[in-house]
Amino acid sequence: MDKFLELREAVSDFIREREWEKFHNPKDIAISISIEAAELLENFQWRDKKEVENMLDDEEYVNSIIEEMADVMIYLIALSNKLNVDLIDASFKKIKKNEKKYPKEKFKGNAFL
Ligand SMILES: [Mg+2]
């Protein structure tokens, strides 16, 4: 089975087995994505760039970042399952759209014009 499809099913099973479907409406899942993104940010709060770079050798620190990234991903998948959206297709489409919005000829080395 496709690994992403397997992950979509694992998220769906996890929710169904706990009878959490009643909590999983699009609004609350979107809120949860934002909360998990904030938890990801907590790993960087009050630390400057150099401090963070130095901490990337610390397995426990990196693992905390990875776990919050996974939490964001899990809720994104929960929302895409709920809305019956193929998040991989949607992401490829958005990259194409971004390529048009930010043509490399104009934006190479520049975040804005
Ligand atoms: Mg979390």
Side-chain angles (χ1 to χ4, degrees):
M1 188 196 296
D2 172 86
K3 208 169 179 185
F4 190 69
L5 187 58
E6 199 179 325
L7 184 56
R8 282 185 77 168
E9 287 188 10
V11 170
S12 179
D13 290 347
F14 183 90
I15 294 163
R16 194 184 52 256
E17 285 162 6
R18 285 156 188 79
E19 298 183 351
W20 284 353
E21 296 98 328
K22 58 192 169 205
F23 305 117
H24 280 240
N25 59 77
K27 175 191 70 81
D28 286 308
I29 302 171
I31 287 170
S32 300
I33 292 167
S34 186
I35 289 169
E36 295 301 341
E39 288 180 6
L40 173 62
L41 281 176
E42 278 188 318
N43 289 291
F44 305 101
Q45 187 181 27
W46 314 124
R47 297 184 170 115
D48 64 30
K49 277 194 263 183
K50 189 75 196 159
E51 207 176 340
V52 170
E53 267 176 42
N54 291 338
M55 289 180 75
L56 294 179
D57 294 331
D58 180 339
E59 196 177 321
E60 196 178 325
Y61 178 68
V62 173
N63 199 46
S64 169
I65 293 169
I66 291 168
E67 286 195 351
E68 298 310 337
M69 289 168 64
D71 281 341
V72 171
M73 178 88 163
I74 289 164
Y75 275 122
L76 278 172
I77 289 169
L79 187 57
S80 67
N81 282 347
K82 188 80 189 173
L83 301 178
N84 208 18
V85 167
D86 185 324
L87 196 53
I88 299 292
D89 278 352
S91 300
F92 277 122
K93 274 185 199 161
K94 191 61 168 74
I95 287 172
K96 287 279 172 215
K97 193 174 177 182
N98 290 345
E99 283 172 352
K100 284 189 180 131
K101 189 175 179 182
Y102 305 104
K104 61 185 173 205
E105 299 77 19
K106 276 189 182 178
F107 286 88
K108 200 168 191 172
N110 300 312
F112 51 87
L113 292 178

